[in-house]
Amino acid sequence: MTARRPLMRPSIRTIALLVVASGLLAVASGLLAACGAAEGTPGASSGRIRVVATTTVLADLVKQVGGDRVSVESLVPPGGEVHTFDPRPSDSRKLAEADLIVMNGLGLDDWLGRLAADAGATAEIVRLGEDLSGVEYLAEEGATAPNPHLWLNVAYARRYVERIGEVLARVAPADTDAFAAGAAAYGGRLDSLDAWVRERISGIPEANRRFVSFHDALPYFADAYGLEVIGTVVDAPGQDPGAGQIADLVTAIKASGVKAVFSESQFSPELVSAIADEAGARVVTDLYTDTLGDPPVDTFEGIVRWDTDRIVSALR
C-alpha cells in the first residue's frame, strides 16, 4: 500500500504572490480586450469601415476611394432596379451594423431613409447627389425634384468622389491622408475618362445627336457631352405608358430624325423594341445607368465606356 504524502499548505507569501499574479493577468486581459475593441473601430489598422450603399454604382465609387480601408455592400444587387427595389429583412441588419450609409438622394433611393429608421441604424447617412457645389441640376418642367442621375456626367461623378473622401475621413480621421490620396487618384482617372467620352462623342455627326431613352436616366450625360434627349418611353420605371403616349413618341421620333432608342439591361426590351421598329430607329437595350453588371461593366468606369461605345455606334 502506497503511503500518502502529507498535504502541503501554501505559505502566506505564496498566496500573496498568486493574488498579485492573478491581478496582473486580469489587467493584461482587460488591456488586450480594449486593444481588440479599438482595432475593430472604423479606420483602425486591422479594421475596415463598414459601408452600406444603395446601389452598386455608389458602392464602387466608395470602394475606389477607400480601397482596403473600407468594406462596401450594395443593397440593390447587380442588375437590380433601384427605383422599384423591395428591401429584404437581411438589409435591415446590414444597415444596423454599418459605420456609414451612402445613398444618392433626389428621390432615387428615398426608401433607404425609412428602412434605416426601422432598422435602428445609427451610422451617418450621406446623400451624395444633394447640395453639390458646382453642379447645374436639371429637372423636367413641373417636377418636384431635380433629376437624380448626376453621376453619368463624369465630371459630376468626380464631385461624388470628393464628397466620399471627406465623409470617410470624418468616420476614420486617422486615415484622412489615405482617403484624400484615394480620392485624388481616382479623380484623376475620372478626368481622363471624361476627356475620352468627349473625344468619342465628337465623332457623331451633329444631325444625329438626338435620341430617346427608356426612362429619364441620361439628361446629365446628354447635357455634358452635346447630345439631346427628345423623349422617354416611360415617365418612371414601373409605370407603363398609354397608347396615346406611345403614338406621340413615335411621331416625335420620326419628326426629329432620331436614329436610336436606348434602354438598360434591367428592363424588358419588348416595349422599346416595338417603338423603335414602328419609328424606323435603331434600338439598344443593354446600357447600364443605375447598376453595374458582369465584367467589363462591373465598375463605374466600365459602364461609362460601355454606354459611350454603344451610343456612338448607334448614332454614328
Side-chain angles (χ1 to χ4, degrees):
M1 183 175 181
T2 305
R4 293 177 179 269
R5 293 184 178 181
L7 179 64
M8 301 296 292
R9 298 184 181 278
S11 67
I12 297 298
R13 182 173 179 275
T14 301
I15 291 173
L17 289 173
L18 289 172
V19 170
V20 171
S22 177
L24 291 173
L25 286 171
V27 171
S29 177
L31 289 173
L32 287 172
C35 289
E39 289 176 354
T41 58
S45 59
S46 63
R48 294 189 293 174
I49 301 175
R50 294 165 297 183
V51 183
V52 175
T54 49
T55 73
T56 50
V57 173
L58 302 183
D60 182 59
L61 298 183
V62 174
K63 180 180 178 182
Q64 299 298 331
V65 174
D68 59 7
R69 288 174 170 81
V70 298
S71 173
V72 192
E73 290 186 273
S74 171
L75 296 180
V76 183
E81 173 45 45
V82 61
H83 302 82
T84 57
F85 179 64
D86 186 15
R88 300 150 296 189
S90 60
D91 294 326
S92 295
R93 184 171 63 254
K94 293 176 184 177
L95 292 172
E97 296 173 352
D99 299 314
L100 177 66
I101 299 170
V102 173
M103 63 186 293
N104 187 78
L106 301 176
L108 180 78
D109 44 13
D110 284 352
W111 46 263
L112 180 92
R114 298 186 297 273
L115 183 63
D118 291 342
T122 58
E124 179 181 358
I125 299 176
V126 180
R127 293 167 170 81
L128 292 177
E130 297 183 1
D131 302 317
L132 277 178
S133 62
V135 166
E136 182 179 349
Y137 288 92
L138 304 176
E140 289 291 320
E141 184 176 350
T144 58
N147 187 288
H149 299 84
L150 290 158
W151 63 89
L152 291 170
N153 174 343
V154 179
Y156 290 173
R158 200 186 198 290
R159 301 280 182 169
Y160 280 36
V161 166
E162 293 167 358
R163 177 169 282 182
I164 288 168
E166 295 167 357
V167 172
L168 290 176
R170 284 205 303 269
V171 177
D175 288 329
T176 295
D177 291 344
F179 295 136
Y186 187 42
R189 286 176 15 220
L190 293 186
D191 288 343
S192 297
L193 178 63
D194 182 62
W196 177 85
V197 176
R198 295 181 186 281
E199 189 277 328
R200 292 284 287 126
I201 296 294
S202 69
I204 302 173
E206 290 289 338
N208 293 358
R209 295 190 175 194
R210 305 180 188 90
F211 65 88
V212 166
S213 63
F214 178 75
H215 81 294
D216 201 13
L218 294 168
Y220 293 103
F221 183 93
D223 186 65
Y225 303 116
L227 303 173
E228 181 183 1
V229 184
I230 68 106
T232 60
V233 176
V234 300
D235 294 331
Q239 300 179 9
D240 293 327
Q245 289 177 282
I246 294 174
D248 289 344
L249 184 59
V250 169
T251 299
I253 292 171
K254 292 178 177 179
S256 59
V258 163
K259 300 295 183 182
V261 180
F262 298 120
S263 184
E264 296 106 307
S265 61
Q266 70 265 34
F267 302 118
S268 170
E270 295 179 2
L271 181 56
V272 291
S273 296
I275 290 172
D277 288 345
E278 178 70 19
R282 297 187 181 97
V283 60
V284 177
T285 61
D286 62 348
L287 297 188
Y288 289 81
T289 58
D290 302 325
T291 182
L292 305 183
D294 296 326
V297 289
D298 56 338
T299 65
F300 172 68
E301 293 167 276
I303 68 170
V304 171
R305 291 184 182 278
W306 177 278
D307 288 354
T308 301
D309 282 340
R310 273 150 183 72
I311 289 170
V312 170
S313 178
L315 298 181
R316 187 170 60 185

